[in-house]
Structures are given as structure tokens and as C-alpha cells.
Amino acid sequence: MNVYPSNNIRNVGIVAHGGSGKTSLAEALLFNAGATKRLGKVDEGNTVTDYHPEEIKRKVSINTSLAIAEWQKHKINLLDTPGYSDFFGDVLAALRVVDSLLVVISAVDGVKVQTEIVWEEADKRNKMPRLVYINKMDRENANFHKVIDSMREKLSGNIVPLQLPIGAAETFSGIIDLLEQKAYTYDKNGNEKETAIPAEYNDEAASLREAIVEAAAEGDDELLMKYLEGEELTAQEIKSGLKKAIAEGKVIPVLCGSALKNMAVKPVLNYIKDYLPSPVEVADRTAADLEKDNLAALVFKTLADPYVGKLSMFRVYSGVLKSDSVVYNSNRESEEKIGQIFTLQGKNQLPVSELKAGDIGAVAKLQVTTTGDTLCSKANPVQLPTIEFPEPTLPLAIKPKSKGDEDKLSNALARLLEEDPTLRLSKNNETRETILTGMGETHIDITMERLQRKFGVEVETSIPLVPYRETIRGTANRVEGKHKKQTGGHGQYGHVFIDISPLPDNEFEFTETIFGGAVPRQYIPAVEKGIREAMQEGILAGYPVTNIKVNLADGSYHTVDSSEMAFKIAAALAFRKALEQAKPVLLEPIMNVEITVPEQFMGDIMGDLNSRRGRILGMEAQGKNQIIRAQVPLAEMYRYAIDLKSITQGRGHFKMEFDKYEEVPVSIAEKVIQETKKNKEE
């Protein structure tokens, strides 16, 4: 693979709602650029960028993949991203390292949820330049003008068509280039032929071209003055004005075609080269300066394989990264040996001697580096802003199907967590469960498949247990606990009286009011220890006891038979008896929840929260969205990620954190207690 100067590089993220034909467009771009000899198809499982077994099986993109199109002495780094919300973390990682987006919208379905979400992300990133491709013009019910209307209604920016389709569905035969005022038709093999604009399109083509000229003029103050004074802009002025307006996010250009039939795909390569910015233009510096600067590269994706090892994908922001060099990881404060550098064509590694500022590549077997780390020179360490990934919200308890596979599972999960920053792993010591938290059901399912395929570990999953607690609402005084056992030789004797009472502001407090040495001083710590151990298992359902004060009031001892162990046992007996007398109740964890949803779903969300025993604390507007703050029992939130997605059509998201424990309503407590006892018996 050739080494390209920063000026001649284009970093483009291909984004879309799932099913819009994004991967098919990537495949057609590679084919037209001569990077592949045949046009792969998603349905046949032979595309360059969807190569993981899970992607081939499900016919959807799950990982961001890199592919290279070399076009007219330019290198176009295409990052094909997932189109479903469960894998949005990969989209965010790609957005962090590309300079522009190629947004694919189906001519049949129009603007869908994930397109809106990515569009908003692009707006947040300094109005990242975008080029839109309306795909599937050959499909039944394809409607170019309806999609344009939908874009103008739902998406920000000045939507400006640069092409007009000739026909639609079965009559789709080509496109009109509105800038050049020429038409191009395509045969069944995708071969292009230049023709005159069909007469019935002349008026519309002329009108749309005028809109392009106006948009180009608005991209440059000098051109705008010339345009307003009635002077005609030259072709070069239109191009430069349009390029500037696109780079600043003022104009969103729109193309159209059919990726699957390879119709009107080649023009996309030209528009990427001519109108989307290079890394130099984004950095607003010269290529020479960027390439001479000290090295700074960001790792944006990690691929972990049990056989090949770890592959780190990165973008060089300044300087030059060379094969067989030593770099410094400023996040880990550790040196890394760089072996052979690659660019990637999907899963195929193409060796390269070096990568200049702005380029994207990969390197294998870095020792300490993970996603989000900066590689630089030790003499001039820098730390690039890392990648902010969404917090996963769907937890599942997991355990290996085969006993003895615990270590194998632990090692496999460590590798997957390294690969996927949107997975979280935790251990709940109270319920003794291992909890894996993901972005959604599909995300979790695919993680399970990867565990089996990559590491040979099969797991069982279940909804996590709620870490309930037990406490008391009443008091119990002078409750006796006696442990007396006579055997041959020394016996065992411990005897205590305790008082217990609720303690709302603290988990546990132990006091003693012993008088006259009824319990010798050396045994009092054993009494406290016996109570603390007994607190680990309450009398209602065996959950830990909390928010309780215990006072050692009295007792007796035997000069020969008393021991620490005997007093510990006596204290535990007294504590259990006292719990029964002090109105024991079940407590549940209450979570502070913050939900962000579009305003039109507010009523449904509020009703749903009420059904979950939630308390609304407040609301506030945030742009088009509303933020709802509430307190909800954890027991009602384990599947909320799925339900929220369903209620809001994928537009809502939430975060939550533990706040406190509260008493469980009696009717629910009875069910929990019965269920817990039943499970223990089984």
C-alpha cells in the first residue's frame, strides 16, 4: 500500500439507520475504485467490511470496519459503522477519528431514528461535514422528493440536492448532475453513459441548479456580494464556495442512486475527493507542518482474537508513525514497541512502512494500550481527548454452563471487555452473581455468541437478583441468648441479654451497658462479632440486616466453660430471637433515574414510571428533549433499557445510580420472601 501525504487523504465515516444499504454502498465504492474485483453482497455474506461471523449470520454491521478506496491519487479511508443503537459506541468511536460523514438514507424508508441520532452527534461536533446518499432508488415505493422533504423536516442544515434521479423504482435509469447540467444513465452492469437531460426534467434541473449556486455563494462573502450584484459565478467559484460551505456544515449536499445495482456510485468517489475536507483542512494547518510535528495518534478501536492476538486501530493526528519504532503511551506512562503497521481492507492487513498525519491504520500486539489511549513520542508527551462511550444499561447475571469453567470465562470476558468499551462487568458480593451489562438484548446475545465462538465458553444468563436488605421497625429488650453445652472435660457456656432498636442513619451500631462484670471484658468483642455475623442473614428471606442498633445489656459467664466462641454463638441466638420480636421488614434499593426523551413521549414515559412504582422528582427541557428525574426501585429497572427503547422508538436514553434503601410494600415483600425461600429449597 502506498504512503499518502495528508493533503490527499479523506477520512469518511459511513453512517445510517440499519437496513439503509450502508455496507452495500461501501462495497460498491471499493469495487468502483478498483479495490475489489467483484461486488460483494450482504445477503451472500461476502462483503469486505461485514466479515465477522456474527455479521454474516445476522446480515447487519456490528463492528466498525476500515476499508481503503484509492481514487485519483487520493486515499479514502472508509469507516463502515453499525446502524443499530446497541452498537452506537462503535459509531461514536468512528465519529471521533473521521473528518466527514457519508450518510446513507433509504429512498423507500426515508429518515429513521438512528440517522437522526447520528445527525445530532455530527451537529455537536462543530457541524461535521456531511454528504448524503439516497440509496435504493431502484426499489418499489422509492421516492426521492419525499425523502428530501423528510430530511428538511427532521434534520438540521441546508439540504441541497446535487443530483436528481431519472425515474424511480423499476423506471430508475440514471441521474442528472445538477452542477454540470448533464445526465448519466446506467445499464444492468452499472456501466455509465453520458446523455442529455431528458426534456421533462429541464425546468426542475435548472431551478435546483440555481439553489446550488445560491448555496455556494453563501459559503463565501466575496462570492455572495458578486451573486447579489447579479454577476454570474464561474464553475470554479461555485465549486470553491460549495466546498467551503460543506466544510463549515452550512450546506448538506445530497446524491442518489442504487448501491446494490452499482448505479450512480462512481460520482460519490468524485464528490468525496473534491468536496469533503482533508485532515489538513480540518486542522487548518499545512500538510508539511502536520507531518513534521511530534507524533500524536489515538487508538479508537481494539480487536481481540485468541489466535491472532490484539489489533489496535488508530488515527495519526500529527507527525508520522513508522513501522518498527518505539512510541510512548501517555495514558499508561509506558513505552510500546510498534511492529509492522497495516492499513486494513476489512479483515485483510495491507503492510505499509509509515502512516502520515491524518491517516488511519492498525498495529498488532501492543502490550498495555487500550481504546482511547494516545501514542506519542516520549520526549514530547501529549494526551489527545479520549472517546466518550455511552454507559450500558441492560444487566444480566452470567455463569458458565460447565462447572470448572470459571477461570476460562473470566479470561474470555477480560478479552471481550478490552475489545468492547460498552460492556461492563461487576461482581455483586451480596447476591454472589457476576453481572454483565450491555447496550441492549442484541448486544448481549452477540457477546454470548462471541464467548462461545472465540473462547469456547458457554454461559447461562438470568435477570440479576435484587440485593434486598432486612431491618426492623420496632424494638426488643432484654432478649436472651444462651449457649450451654456439657461434654467430657471443658464445656461451653455463653449467656447474654441484648436490646435492639432501629437505626435509620447508620448501618450498624454496637453498645454495651454491662454492670458488675456480668460479661467479662474479654468476651464483649466476641459478642459484637457474633451479632455482625448473624446480620449477614436475616430471618425473613436470608438477606443482610442493616440500620440496626444492638446493646449488650446483661449476661452471665462460667469461670471454666466460657469462651469467645460460646459468647459469639450466644449473641447470634439472641440476635435472631430479637429480630422476630422487633417487627422485621424487607428493604429494597431505590435508584435515582435520569431519563432523556423527546417531548412527544412524555405522557407514555410518566405512565410507565408510575407502573414501576416510580416517584417523579422533576423535569426540565433540553433542546427538543425533556429530562425526567425520578426515583424508582431497582427491581423495576432491570429490563428498562428494552422497554424505554420500545416506548420511544429508540430515541430515549437513561442513566441511574443508587440512592438509598426503602421498605418494600407488604404485598410485594410477601412474594419476594416466598420466591426466595422456594429458590433456596431448590
Side-chain angles (χ1 to χ4, degrees), residues 269-312:
L269 291 165
N270 291 325
Y271 275 101
I272 289 173
K273 176 182 75 74
D274 293 338
Y275 289 95
L276 295 185
S278 72
V280 175
E281 291 160 321
V282 171
D284 199 24
R285 303 180 62 202
T286 68
D289 285 343
L290 271 182
E291 290 162 12
K292 282 178 187 172
D293 269 357
N294 293 307
L295 174 67
L298 180 74
V299 174
F300 67 93
K301 185 166 178 64
T302 303
L303 295 168
D305 190 280
Y307 307 108
V308 178
K310 187 167 77 171
L311 194 69
S312 302

Side-chain angles (χ1 to χ4, degrees), residues 64 253 293 320 363 374 396 468 525 625:
T64 289
D293 269 357
V320 178
V363 64
T374 298
L396 274 183
Y468 291 104
N625 293 326

Side-chain angles (χ1 to χ4, degrees), residues 296-419:
L298 180 74
V299 174
F300 67 93
K301 185 166 178 64
T302 303
L303 295 168
D305 190 280
Y307 307 108
V308 178
K310 187 167 77 171
L311 194 69
S312 302
M313 295 170 66
F314 59 85
R315 168 171 169 163
V316 183
Y317 279 87
S318 63
V320 178
L321 186 58
K322 299 184 178 184
S323 291
D324 302 316
S325 61
V326 176
V327 299
Y328 184 67
N329 182 323
S330 56
N331 299 78
R332 312 289 161 189
E333 299 182 348
S334 176
E335 288 189 340
E336 284 277 24
K337 175 78 172 69
I338 299 289
Q340 176 64 61
I341 295 173
F342 306 98
T343 56
L344 297 174
Q345 200 66 288
K347 65 181 175 183
N348 296 320
Q349 300 174 356
L350 310 175
V352 64
S353 59
E354 63 182 35
L355 289 174
K356 296 192 173 181
D359 216 340
I360 293 175
V363 64
K365 299 180 181 176
L366 296 183
Q367 297 302 305
V368 300
T369 300
T370 60
T371 300
D373 287 356
T374 298
L375 302 176
C376 55
S377 67
K378 192 171 185 179
N380 294 282
V382 294
Q383 209 167 100
L384 296 167
T386 190
I387 303 162
E388 290 186 16
F389 289 98
E391 281 295 318
T393 50
L394 182 64
L396 274 183
I398 64 169
K399 61 181 180 180
K401 270 189 180 176
S402 305
K403 285 186 178 178
D405 269 0
E406 284 83 2
D407 287 344
K408 198 174 175 184
L409 174 61
S410 178
N411 292 333
L413 285 170
R415 300 292 292 275
L416 288 183
L417 289 169
E418 190 175 42
E419 186 176 68

Side-chain angles (χ1 to χ4, degrees), residues 399 403 465 674-682:
K399 61 181 180 180
K403 285 186 178 178
L465 298 172
Q674 288 172 8
E675 190 67 29
T676 305
K677 287 179 177 176
K678 180 183 170 187
N679 290 339
K680 285 184 176 179
E681 287 169 5
E682 291 173 355

